[in-house]
Amino acid sequence: MFQENEVLNLILALISILMFAFIFKKMGPPRLRLLYIGFIFILCGYLFTVIEGVIWLEFFNLLEHLCYAISGILFAAGCLSIIRHSTSEQAKNNV
Amino acid sequence: MYENIIVGLDLIATIAFGVALLFAVRIPRSIMDQPSKTFLALCLGIYVFVGLSNILEHGQITDCLDHYEDYVEIFFPLFFLFFIYSVITKQELNSRKLAEKAARHALKDWEDIFQASGNPTLILDAEHDVISANRATVGATGKSKEALVGMKCYEIMHGTDQPPEGCPMEKMLISGHCETVEMEVEALGSVFLVSCTPMLDDEGNLQKVIHIATDITESKQVEEEKKTLEDQLRQAQKMEAVGRLAGGIAHDFNNILTAIIGYSNMLQMKMAEDDPLLTDVEQILSSSQKAARLTQSLLAFSRQQIIHPKPVRLNEIVVSVEKLLLRLIGEHIELKTNLTDKNFTIMADSGQIEQVMMNLATNARDAMSEGGMLTISTELVELDKQFIKTHAYDVKPGMYSLICFTDTGEGMDEDTRKRIFEPFFTTKELGRGTGLGLAIIYGIVKQHNGFVDVYSKPGEGTTFKIYLPIIKSAIAETKAEIIPPPRGGTETVLVAEDDEVVRTITKAILDRFGYKVIEAVDGEDAVIRFKENKDKIDLVILDVIMPKKNGKMAYDDIKKLWPEIKAIFTSGYTKDFVDKKGILEEGINFIPKPISANELLRKMREVLDK
């Protein structure tokens, strides 16, 4: 059986996606591609958490943790790329 | 095994989120503001906590957190949403600031260009009211920018309370597109090219009008000057062409006159004093003399007559002809002379200058049939390059004497003024004028290296200005020339003349006065005849222009055969003209046609007795 908080997580994540879509359409998406993909992986993790309560517990549990690990790497890479981008921008301005 | 894999993945996730958290904290504020960074840090912190809880739980180390991480996890999507929103808001704010900055720059650039424009420029509304004016407008009108704003454009430009006729703004309001009109702006004292360009909004409604006035006064003046110069050049070329034509006609006519006068002279000599036909011959001679004077006038116009320039004082010439002019113009016209006290000398043929003055006085008399005043004045003027360039005269800059003939007569219009120097052009009724008076003046003045200017308007009289170059040399004393009577001789003369009539009359005259004559029909024939009779011939008379070989070429060939040979050249053209053509050398003996018997005989004796 799946837990209530896991379903709530999934619903909130889906609502946040809808809101992203709305905001992006109105204002244009910021250049944070790696962070978005990381967020998608977290969302997948939420989905697998819910599914594991119904079928193939171990498999979907593994996928869930794998998604979190990948998401963590993507977030780290995303933040690093933001810092690098800012450094190169500063160098350009100094020139 | 399975649990180990899960713990391993959780470990990777925890470390990765931890590293991401460290990086997020170090993101500079210039890239991401504090609220965004805080929300990102909270998102990442949640998963550091979740990962750590999972390690503890799946690694079976402790279950103290008792699935709290599941509840903490709920905040991740919210915080991430806030983070994204915060970033977008900041980004939007930044781009708005950038757009505002760009707009400010663009506005400043536009304002700078608007103000820097050298042309008076206004921005108007659809009611002609000034919204803005640039510095050039302020400078041109002398009004402040504040005073100009709110005024009507036509008030500023034309000082009227209505748009002027042909107003480009009115035209633009009708046509809906840019209109440009050339107009004189009284307020600015110049001629402007005024353009009105509409500025429309997205829906095509008129918002503002850009009114630009470009000062074209200078370019108009240059254009007018150019046109004047072109007119003057065309006029000069026309006069030159007409002069050549007149000279050519005079030349051929002189040949005919030579025959008429010669044969008439012969007849006269042969006739007894009581011969009833003598009067007829005298009539022929009298008419021939008149015709000769006409050709002389044509030659004067075409600058091909013989002049005898000597240093003379202009004032003295004016004084000497003053009485004659008084008689010429009649009592109903007052003559006033206003001579300069400067004593300058010109190189001129006094007789020719007197002729100029007589012709001008005659012209003035005819223009003042109801009476009036003729003023003759002299001046010394300096003509600079600019004056000569402006008036397109073919003369050198320097000091010139100026004779002004001003009458208070009818004057003339521009079309007449342009044509007055043309030979046979006259406005007088039939039989009153030959149309050669002013043409002769033109030719004489040109031959004296001067020029004539005419200023006249209908009803306002006419002023002729004659400019003649002055010289520094002293005036030579002139002695009256004593002309000896003609004498004959017994020498043999070779006469080379292509015109049969002239050749025959020349032979007849020479035969009569005892000379032996050998005739040649052209230059080549002259050389052959000379070869045949070189021991007999004492003198050769050569026409300058002949077929096959001209007079000069024939003379050169003859000189090779006998270097000491004496020669006289004749031509319907003047010696000056022939000299200019480079046909004859300096110091040669020359008689212009029509040749009178006395002149020919005198010249022959002069050459033969040398």
Side-chain angles (χ1 to χ4, degrees):
Chain A
M1 280 297 286
F2 44 74
Q3 294 169 16
E4 286 168 2
N5 66 307
E6 288 170 349
V7 177
L8 186 65
N9 257 359
L10 184 62
I11 292 165
L12 279 173
L14 288 171
I15 290 168
S16 65
I17 281 193
L18 288 174
M19 290 181 79
F20 284 154
F22 175 73
I23 295 167
F24 289 172
K25 197 179 174 187
K26 201 164 185 190
M27 298 173 162
R31 288 177 205 156
L32 302 166
R33 195 189 294 169
L34 288 170
L35 301 191
Y36 297 142
I37 301 168
F39 178 74
I40 298 294
F41 271 95
I42 288 205
L43 196 73
C44 293
Y46 290 165
L47 188 66
F48 296 142
T49 307
V50 175
I51 296 169
E52 75 180 15
V54 184
I55 50 162
W56 299 344
L57 172 78
E58 286 192 349
F59 175 71
F60 281 108
N61 191 37
L62 182 70
L63 282 181
E64 178 206 338
H65 287 269
L66 186 64
C67 282
Y68 290 152
I70 293 168
S71 173
I73 292 164
L74 286 168
F75 267 96
C79 290
L80 184 65
S81 97
I82 293 169
I83 292 172
R84 279 192 180 166
H85 177 73
S86 73
T87 315
S88 66
E89 280 290 306
Q90 253 178 353
K92 246 188 227 175
N93 290 340
N94 289 340
V95 170
Chain B
M1 178 63 185
Y2 177 78
E3 287 298 324
N4 286 344
I5 292 168
I6 299 293
V7 169
L9 288 171
D10 287 342
L11 192 62
I12 292 167
T14 308
I15 292 168
F17 277 112
V19 170
L21 182 61
L22 285 174
F23 285 150
V25 172
R26 290 182 61 190
I27 293 171
R29 278 195 188 177
S30 58
I31 295 292
M32 199 176 277
D33 62 350
Q34 196 55 45
S36 308
K37 273 167 70 175
T38 306
F39 285 121
L40 182 62
L42 283 169
C43 289
L44 298 168
I46 284 169
Y47 272 94
V48 172
F49 175 71
V50 170
L52 213 54
S53 301
N54 285 339
I55 292 167
L56 293 173
E57 190 186 324
H58 292 286
Q60 293 173 347
I61 299 163
T62 174
D63 202 11
C64 64
L65 293 171
D66 196 16
H67 294 288
Y68 284 129
E69 81 277 10
D70 294 338
Y71 298 100
V72 174
E73 216 177 355
I74 293 169
F75 293 102
F76 176 80
L78 290 175
F79 287 153
F80 195 74
L81 191 65
F82 288 145
F83 160 67
I84 293 295
Y85 184 75
S86 171
V87 167
I88 288 174
T89 312
K90 176 72 180 170
Q91 192 175 292
E92 180 74 11
L93 203 67
N94 280 348
S95 45
R96 194 172 296 167
K97 273 184 188 168
L98 281 172
E100 278 172 10
K101 198 178 169 187
R104 271 199 307 276
H105 274 295
L107 190 68
K108 191 178 178 304
D109 287 348
W110 183 88
E111 183 69 21
D112 287 348
I113 293 165
F114 176 63
Q115 291 299 341
S117 167
N119 298 324
T121 307
L122 298 168
I123 296 173
L124 311 170
D125 63 15
E127 305 302 318
H128 296 259
D129 291 319
V130 175
I131 298 168
S132 186
N134 72 344
R135 273 199 294 271
T137 315
V138 171
T141 59
K143 292 185 172 76
S144 70
K145 192 180 169 183
E146 291 70 28
L148 290 168
V149 172
M151 282 179 83
K152 302 277 184 196
C153 60
Y154 45 80
E155 281 177 358
I156 300 166
M157 295 292 172
H158 307 281
T160 56
D161 54 1
Q162 288 289 321
E165 200 180 328
C167 171
M169 173 87 173
E170 290 289 301
K171 284 187 175 180
M172 185 222 72
L173 288 173
I174 296 164
S175 69
H177 54 74
C178 176
E179 291 286 350
T180 305
V181 173
E182 186 184 309
M183 49 197 335
E184 200 172 334
V185 180
E186 302 83 8
L188 308 181
S190 306
V191 181
F192 282 87
L193 201 64
V194 183
S195 75
C196 286
T197 311
M199 294 176 78
L200 309 173
D201 63 13
D202 294 339
E203 284 148 18
N205 299 317
L206 182 68
Q207 291 293 298
K208 292 169 188 171
V209 177
I210 301 177
H211 178 289
I212 304 171
T214 311
D215 190 345
I216 55 163
T217 314
E218 214 167 285
S219 58
K220 285 281 283 181
Q221 276 171 354
V222 170
E223 205 176 287
E224 270 167 30
E225 270 172 27
K226 196 179 157 195
K227 195 173 171 295
T228 310
L229 288 176
E230 279 173 359
D231 283 349
Q232 284 173 340
L233 181 66
R234 212 172 296 125
Q235 182 72 4
Q237 284 172 338
K238 189 171 82 179
M239 295 301 279
E240 190 67 32
V242 175
R244 262 187 222 160
L245 180 70
I249 292 168
H251 162 256
D252 287 348
F253 202 61
N254 275 340
N255 272 347
I256 299 163
L257 283 176
T258 301
I260 296 169
I261 294 169
Y263 280 112
S264 303
N265 277 336
M266 291 278 290
L267 269 175
Q268 204 180 22
M269 286 169 192
K270 283 175 185 170
M271 281 175 170
E273 275 184 23
D274 57 347
D275 195 315
L277 293 173
L278 192 61
T279 325
D280 297 345
V281 175
E282 279 168 359
Q283 280 299 322
I284 294 168
L285 275 169
S286 167
S287 296
S288 301
Q289 293 305 333
K290 278 183 193 165
R293 277 198 295 276
L294 181 69
T295 57
Q296 205 58 37
S297 298
L298 285 174
L299 285 171
F301 165 69
S302 60
R303 289 170 272 152
Q304 290 173 22
Q305 66 169 347
I306 297 169
I307 61 165
H308 304 286
K310 284 172 190 149
V312 285
R313 293 205 173 96
L314 183 64
N315 284 354
E316 285 174 11
I317 300 175
V318 177
V319 171
S320 70
V321 291
E322 199 178 340
K323 280 182 186 170
L324 195 65
L325 296 181
L326 263 173
R327 274 201 299 277
L328 184 74
I329 58 178
E331 286 173 356
H332 65 301
I333 296 168
E334 190 185 337
L335 177 67
K336 193 178 159 191
T337 51
N338 188 10
L339 306 181
T340 175
D341 52 359
K342 287 179 186 124
N343 204 9
F344 52 84
T345 309
I346 58 168
M347 191 64 149
D349 184 326
S350 307
Q352 298 290 328
I353 300 301
E354 282 169 13
Q355 174 75 59
V356 168
M357 288 195 228
M358 300 277 279
N359 288 7
L360 285 174
T362 310
N363 220 54
R365 180 198 64 196
D366 294 342
M368 296 186 286
S369 52
E370 303 292 313
M373 183 187 280
L374 172 64
T375 310
I376 303 171
S377 62
T378 58
E379 269 178 70
L380 184 65
V381 290
E382 187 176 1
L383 302 187
D384 55 16
K385 279 181 184 169
Q386 185 57 39
F387 179 88
I388 288 162
K389 193 182 159 192
T390 314
H391 293 75
Y393 298 125
D394 185 20
V395 292
K396 289 174 187 166
M399 297 304 291
Y400 279 74
S401 67
L402 168 64
I403 321 167
C404 288
F405 262 70
T406 306
D407 66 51
T408 56
E410 298 159 9
M412 62 188 112
D413 58 25
E414 187 59 20
D415 288 342
T416 310
R417 196 192 67 80
K418 279 181 181 171
R419 298 191 59 197
I420 51 168
F421 294 118
E422 287 175 22
F424 305 111
F425 175 79
T426 180
T427 53
K428 294 168 191 171
E429 68 245 40
L430 198 67
R432 276 205 70 191
T434 58
L436 281 172
L438 291 174
I440 289 169
I441 293 171
Y442 179 86
I444 291 173
V445 173
K446 278 287 217 183
Q447 210 169 359
H448 281 81
N449 301 317
F451 61 91
V452 198
D453 234 354
V454 190
Y455 302 87
S456 185
K457 274 186 181 173
E460 290 182 21
T462 305
T463 298
F464 283 89
K465 287 188 171 183
I466 294 163
Y467 295 83
L468 297 168
I470 65 154
I471 56 156
K472 285 179 181 169
S473 61
I475 294 168
E477 289 294 322
T478 53
K479 281 179 187 173
E481 206 179 333
I482 300 159
I483 302 161
R487 284 186 295 129
T490 53
E491 290 92 344
T492 304
V493 183
L494 171 66
V495 177
E497 168 66 61
D498 59 317
D499 191 316
E500 196 188 341
V501 182
V502 176
R503 195 173 62 244
T504 312
I505 183 63
T506 309
K507 185 180 180 307
I509 293 167
L510 297 184
D511 281 346
R512 186 175 171 80
F513 279 83
Y515 292 102
K516 292 174 198 73
V517 179
I518 299 168
E519 291 178 70
V521 295
D522 56 46
E524 218 169 77
D525 190 34
V527 180
I528 294 165
R529 299 274 175 203
F530 188 83
K531 267 184 194 167
E532 289 167 3
N533 305 285
K534 71 175 178 183
D535 297 335
K536 295 183 206 162
I537 296 170
D538 300 297
L539 174 74
V540 289
I541 298 173
L542 299 158
D543 187 14
V544 176
I545 313 293
M546 284 190 293
K548 293 184 184 173
K549 256 181 196 162
N550 70 32
K552 172 70 171 56
M553 286 160 79
Y555 176 64
D556 287 343
D557 287 353
I558 289 168
K559 257 190 116 176
K560 280 176 197 162
L561 298 168
W562 190 10
E564 302 301 316
I565 189 68
K566 290 172 177 173
I568 295 172
F569 291 91
T570 65
S571 180
Y573 294 104
T574 64
K575 183 171 176 288
D576 286 353
F577 180 79
V578 175
D579 284 348
K580 271 181 199 165
K581 292 278 174 197
I583 300 167
L584 296 180
E585 293 157 8
E586 285 287 314
I588 52 94
N589 301 302
F590 184 82
I591 310 175
K593 288 177 184 173
I595 310 163
S596 74
N598 286 353
E599 194 182 358
L600 177 65
L601 292 167
R602 260 197 302 273
K603 189 76 182 179
M604 280 178 67
R605 280 274 40 103
E606 185 191 316
V607 174
L608 284 167
D609 295 343
K610 253 183 200 171

